[in-house]
Amino acid sequence: MEYLEQIKAKFRGMELYELLIMAALGLAVLLFGYRIKKIAFFIIWFLIGYNLMMFLMPMINGAVPQIAGEQLYQILLPIAGGLLLALLGFSIEKICVAGICFFLVMLITVQYFGTDIPTLAVGAIIGVVAAAAATAMIKPAIIIATALAGGYALTIAILNIFPVLDWNILYFPMIGAFAVLGAIFQFATTKHVD
C-alpha cells in the first residue's frame, strides 16, 4: 500500500485548522453538493487546486529557493492555486461537471496505478468517457461527483486529525461509505429539485 503512504505524506504537514476546514467543506459538499452546486463546484475546484499546489510545492521550493524560505509563500501559494481553479469551477456548470469527473479519474489513476504514459493515456480515455457520460446525465453526475469528492476530503481530514486510525484498513471503506451515504442523502433530499 505504497500509494497510501504517499497520500499520507502529502497531507501530513497540514495544520489542524486546515484539516478542520477541509473536513467542514468536505461534509458540506458530501451532503449538499447538488443543492449548493455552484458553491460545491467552487469548493471542489478549490480543493483540487489546493491539493495540486501542495503536490507541486516541493518542486516549486526546489526551483525557487526564495519561496522555500518564506512561510508566507508556503501558505499563500496553495490557497492561490485553489482560488484560481475555484473561480473556473464556479463559472461554467457542464464544463465543471465534466472536469470534476475527468480529474477524479486522473487522480485515481495517478494515485493508484502510477504515472507511466500508457497508464495516463488509459486514465485520460476513461476520464473523457466519464466526463461525457456525466454531462449527458447532469443531476446524477453532480450528486455522485460531489459525494465522492466530499467523501475523499472528509476521509483525508479525519485520518489526519486522528492519527491512531489505520489508513490501510479505513481509507477505502471510509471514502466508499461516505460517498454512498452522501449520494443517498442527496438523492433523497433533491427529488423535486432541478
Side-chain angles (χ1 to χ4, degrees):
M1 301 253 184
E2 178 183 320
Y3 55 86
L4 285 180
E5 290 302 320
Q6 292 172 352
I7 295 169
K8 279 172 61 173
K10 300 286 187 217
F11 293 100
R12 189 172 290 134
M14 291 179 76
E15 298 290 331
L16 180 61
Y17 76 90
E18 292 173 308
L19 293 169
L20 291 174
I21 291 170
M22 186 175 187
L25 294 176
L27 188 62
V29 170
L30 175 74
L31 297 176
F32 306 108
Y34 188 75
R35 286 192 178 273
I36 58 169
K37 58 185 166 186
K38 290 284 189 184
I39 297 168
F41 290 151
F42 187 87
I43 293 169
I44 290 170
W45 282 101
F46 178 82
L47 291 173
I48 290 171
Y50 187 89
N51 289 322
L52 182 62
M53 284 304 292
M54 290 296 284
F55 289 129
L56 294 176
M57 284 308 289
M59 244 185 345
I60 294 170
N61 289 339
V64 184
Q66 295 86 352
I67 291 176
E70 288 289 328
Q71 183 64 24
L72 182 64
Y73 289 133
Q74 299 299 311
I75 294 169
L76 290 181
L77 282 177
I79 292 171
L83 286 175
L84 284 173
L85 279 181
L87 291 173
L88 167 75
F90 187 71
S91 59
I92 309 167
E93 184 174 296
K94 286 195 176 192
I95 292 175
C96 291
V97 171
I100 289 168
C101 290
F102 180 80
F103 282 116
L104 284 174
V105 169
M106 291 306 292
L107 180 69
I108 290 167
T109 302
V110 168
Q111 285 185 349
Y112 306 118
F113 301 108
T115 57
D116 302 351
I117 297 297
T119 303
L120 291 175
V122 170
I125 291 168
I126 294 169
V128 168
V129 170
T135 55
M137 303 177 299
I138 195 84
K139 183 178 179 178
I142 291 171
I143 290 173
I144 292 168
T146 56
L148 280 169
Y152 175 78
L154 193 56
T155 298
I156 294 294
I158 289 171
L159 289 175
N160 279 294
I161 291 171
F162 302 104
V164 296
L165 299 175
D166 188 355
W167 280 67
N168 294 326
I169 295 171
L170 296 174
Y171 181 75
F172 288 115
M174 283 177 71
I175 291 174
F178 285 140
V180 168
L181 291 173
I184 290 170
F185 181 82
Q186 287 190 60
F187 278 118
T189 59
T190 61
K191 284 182 182 176
H192 305 292
V193 177
D194 286 330

